[in-house]
Amino acid sequence: SPVVPHITYHISHIVERLATSDKPTTAASPVEVVSCNEIIEMFKVRHRQCSEAEIKFIRKVYAVAEGEYGDIAFADGETYFCHTTSVAFTNTSLGADAISIAISLLHKVAADRLKDVLSAIEFINEDDAGATFNIIKNIQIAILPYLGKGIDILGTETTLSNYQNFIGQWAGGDHRILSHIFADQMHAV
């Protein structure tokens, strides 16, 4: 599979960061914030013909996310910014487009702030702003069964197949939602 080398890169990247970090970490956050340059470098690997507009867009979204989250943290101490940059990097390593990266970087923005936050970003295509808003809003309100308990308790292959079908139907087949869910769940493991 063409994705395997990039997943292997991501895993080795995490191991390297753990080995060279002198900062304490929490169990849920084994890595530090992924830098904008790391996300962009992976984006360039996965999208060799990417445009300067896409790079500029990713940089802007990253900066907006950093400013929006500040030091907001989960109960375990992991910051929203650390979480979202890790999810965005995983999504990027899986081949995500620029909009999908924006979704991963902004998926923890408070629902009442989302429109204001998105209005501060110049989208490459104006239609993408509305689509991004709708996708993030749907991701925020969705409660996916079993994910908090782990895939291993799903039961039979039929149960797993039904679960995969449920997610596919819920996402409407939108690859951006599916890749974000997968990247977010990889971060949770």
Side-chain angles (χ1 to χ4, degrees), residues 68-81:
E68 184 66 20
Y69 297 131
D71 292 330
I72 301 170
F74 295 101
D76 66 2
E78 177 188 32
T79 65
Y80 281 22
F81 191 59

Side-chain angles (χ1 to χ4, degrees), residues 17-182:
R17 290 178 82 179
L18 279 171
T20 59
S21 176
D22 59 354
K23 295 183 180 179
T25 59
T26 65
S29 179
V31 296
E32 299 171 9
V33 170
V34 179
S35 75
C36 186
N37 287 338
E38 289 174 297
I39 292 170
I40 288 171
E41 287 308 310
M42 179 55 72
F43 185 73
K44 289 177 179 177
V45 166
R46 299 296 282 145
H47 300 276
R48 297 194 190 286
Q49 303 298 319
C50 64
S51 69
E52 280 303 312
E54 290 172 306
I55 301 301
K56 181 180 175 185
F57 174 75
I58 294 168
R59 286 191 190 285
K60 177 65 176 179
V61 172
Y62 187 97
V64 167
E66 186 173 27
E68 184 66 20
Y69 297 131
D71 292 330
I72 301 170
F74 295 101
D76 66 2
E78 177 188 32
T79 65
Y80 281 22
F81 191 59
C82 180
H83 169 78
T84 60
T85 61
S86 178
V87 172
F89 183 82
T90 300
N91 207 357
T92 305
S93 69
L94 296 171
D97 62 14
I99 297 300
S100 298
I101 295 167
I103 291 164
S104 291
L105 285 169
L106 299 172
H107 77 278
K108 291 296 181 187
V109 170
D112 63 340
R113 296 262 318 125
L114 188 55
K115 275 192 178 182
D116 291 336
V117 168
L118 291 175
S119 69
I121 299 166
E122 185 178 329
F123 283 79
I124 298 167
N125 177 344
E126 287 183 32
D127 294 338
D128 288 337
T132 302
F133 174 80
N134 290 329
I135 289 170
I136 293 172
K137 195 128 173 94
N138 286 335
I139 287 169
Q140 289 177 342
I141 63 171
I143 299 171
L144 298 176
Y146 303 114
L147 291 181
K149 298 176 184 171
I151 297 295
D152 59 327
I153 63 136
L154 286 174
T156 68
E157 285 185 29
T158 303
T159 305
L160 180 57
S161 177
N162 288 340
Y163 184 68
Q164 289 170 330
N165 289 336
F166 165 76
I167 292 175
Q169 289 171 1
W170 171 78
D174 189 327
H175 68 91
R176 296 168 298 187
I177 295 174
L178 296 172
S179 67
H180 169 78
I181 290 169
F182 183 70

